[in-house]
Amino acid sequence: MNSGGARAEAADGPSDAPAVGMPGGAGRARKARRYGRLRPGDRVAVVAPSGPAEPARLEAGCAVLRDLGLDVVVGKHALDRVNLGPSGPVRADWHRLAGGDADRAADLQAAWCDPRVRAVVCARGGYGATRVLDRLDWDALHAATEASDASRGGPKILHGSSDITALHTAFGTRLGVTTSFGPMPAGVIADLDPAAPDDSLDGLRAALFGGPVTLSGTHSLRPGRAEGPLTGGTLSLLTAVLGTPYAPPPAAGRIVFLEDVTEAPYRIDRMLVQLLQAGWLDGAAGVALGTWKDCGDPAELDSVFAARLGPLGVPVLAGLPAGHGPRQHTLELGAPAVLHAPDPASTDPHPAVPDPGALTFEAPPGGAR
């Protein structure tokens, strides 16, 4: 395993290790095209590629988006419900999807290919996004991406989190665009009040409309500083797409963001081992850890992260308010980022203002659009 990566400096100095990706070839951090920022009045399409949304919560979340000045339309099948198996009577005690695979894929593709739509916002996570990937017409999605880039100076936005990680990795890999990882209309957004101060809403507004984004951590598991494009997402989804045509490029030269929900520490350990054994983390520049809601004892999790990620020899910052939980900031996956993980041993043990470390994104050229 290679320790360190491109443009990374850990506590013991810069790494000279080459950036190596998956076995069989060198990995390189390809620059993705950053999505175009929204303007008031832009149309956004809310679709449900995964689980079904509760109608009242979906409407509440859409109302928040409208209060931000956006023209919101909802996909045809967003409120559909089917079970995992063949079509038939829906059983409430079985897991449900927001419509059949073909219908969910059709809503997503129609929204992305509609020239009037500037952002595709996923209603919620759950399960099901991986099942739509083979049903998408990637040539058509690519053509729509090129048209958007030419007409509006940037690709349109794909926004969502959790299970939507599968779409983030696929769109980043297949279309070469940055995507927006953050709260969703039938989730945290439904509980937000646009008239009240809220850092989750402020972070969403900055990521979508333009402005610098900074997320403060809580503690360093390995101090240092790193720069590179951001990759990652929900850990269980990253491992689910590994080895498929929709997997993200190797993390060489990149900052890796990881988070998850309701996963026991031993399962998180197993998934990290899978990423390590696959070589996906080789040459990573740094690691940013988000929330781990209902994932067991935080002290045990820190020990797992230190044991599995520490040997990479790169900065590891924990406690970023992104992922699952009441505070969900928005990250631009694929965008250039800077990770600062402070060394507690080298600072005043009782500073007036403790340095929590941070993951920072610069505003795209031109600022807010």
Side-chain angles (χ1 to χ4, degrees), residues 187-202:
V188 165
I189 292 180
D191 300 319
L192 300 179
D193 179 0
D198 187 280
D199 53 3
S200 295
L201 185 61
D202 292 342

Side-chain angles (χ1 to χ4, degrees), residues 1 26 67 78 85-86 101 133 138 141 221 223 256 265 286 292 299 329 364-365:
M1 180 187 305
D67 285 338
D101 294 345
L133 295 175
W138 290 98
L141 295 176
L221 296 179
V256 179
W292 300 86
H329 284 241

Side-chain angles (χ1 to χ4, degrees), residues 24-363:
R28 184 170 298 176
R30 184 183 67 171
K31 185 177 181 180
R33 289 173 292 177
R34 299 189 71 174
Y35 58 71
R37 268 47 190 179
L38 298 180
R39 303 166 181 157
D42 277 346
R43 174 168 292 186
V44 301
V46 176
V47 300
S50 302
E54 292 298 325
R57 290 192 63 76
L58 181 59
E59 177 51 37
C62 289
V64 172
L65 296 179
R66 293 187 183 101
D67 285 338
L68 293 178
L70 298 170
D71 174 22
V72 181
V73 295
V74 177
K76 178 180 177 181
H77 300 283
L79 297 177
D80 288 359
R81 279 168 165 73
V82 303
N83 293 134
L84 295 175
S87 59
V90 178
R91 287 188 50 166
D93 58 331
W94 288 6
H95 192 94
R96 287 166 292 171
L97 304 170
D101 294 345
D103 290 337
R104 301 196 319 281
D107 276 3
L108 173 59
Q109 182 156 320
W112 191 263
C113 294
D114 186 338
R116 299 168 298 176
V117 171
R118 292 300 307 148
V120 178
V121 178
C122 299
R124 57 157 294 190
Y127 170 71
T130 55
R131 289 176 43 164
V132 308
L133 295 175
D134 286 340
R135 293 179 175 270
L136 296 171
D137 182 340
W138 290 98
D139 288 338
L141 295 176
H142 182 267
T145 302
E146 297 302 311
S148 174
D149 199 2
S151 64
R152 290 289 296 263
K156 59 183 65 178
I157 301 173
L158 173 73
H159 177 84
S161 57
S162 193
D163 192 58
I164 308 304
T165 296
L167 298 181
H168 288 299
T169 64
F171 276 56
T173 299
R174 293 297 189 91
L175 305 180
V177 299
T178 66
T179 57
S180 178
F181 185 101
M184 295 173 284
V188 165
I189 292 180
D191 300 319
L192 300 179
D193 179 0
D198 187 280
D199 53 3
S200 295
L201 185 61
D202 292 342
L204 176 67
R205 185 184 288 110
L208 297 184
F209 288 90
V213 174
T214 298
L215 283 75
S216 295
T218 58
H219 59 289
S220 301
L221 296 179
R222 195 174 194 280
R225 184 180 184 278
E227 298 181 29
L230 188 70
T231 188
T234 301
L235 176 60
S236 55
L237 270 297
L238 289 175
T239 58
V241 298
L242 205 65
T244 74
Y246 310 106
R254 302 169 188 262
I255 295 172
V256 179
F257 168 71
L258 299 173
E259 67 85 34
D260 220 314
V261 62
T262 61
E263 295 286 358
Y266 82 90
R267 291 175 58 86
I268 292 170
D269 185 271
R270 182 171 65 197
M271 288 185 279
L272 292 174
V273 168
Q274 182 178 353
L275 293 181
L276 290 164
Q277 291 179 341
W280 189 77
L281 286 169
D282 288 0
V287 181
L289 300 172
T291 57
W292 300 86
K293 179 177 170 59
D294 299 328
C295 288
D297 184 349
E300 183 178 10
L301 285 177
D302 276 356
S303 72
V304 167
F305 294 135
R308 300 285 78 78
L309 301 174
L312 293 173
V314 301
V316 180
L317 178 65
L320 295 167
H324 293 79
R327 297 180 66 210
Q328 295 184 12
H329 284 241
T330 302
L331 307 174
E332 186 180 354
L333 296 176
V338 176
L339 178 68
H340 165 59
D343 184 354
S346 65
T347 59
D348 182 348
H350 303 290
V353 181
D355 183 357
L359 178 67
T360 303
F361 300 85
E362 293 184 0

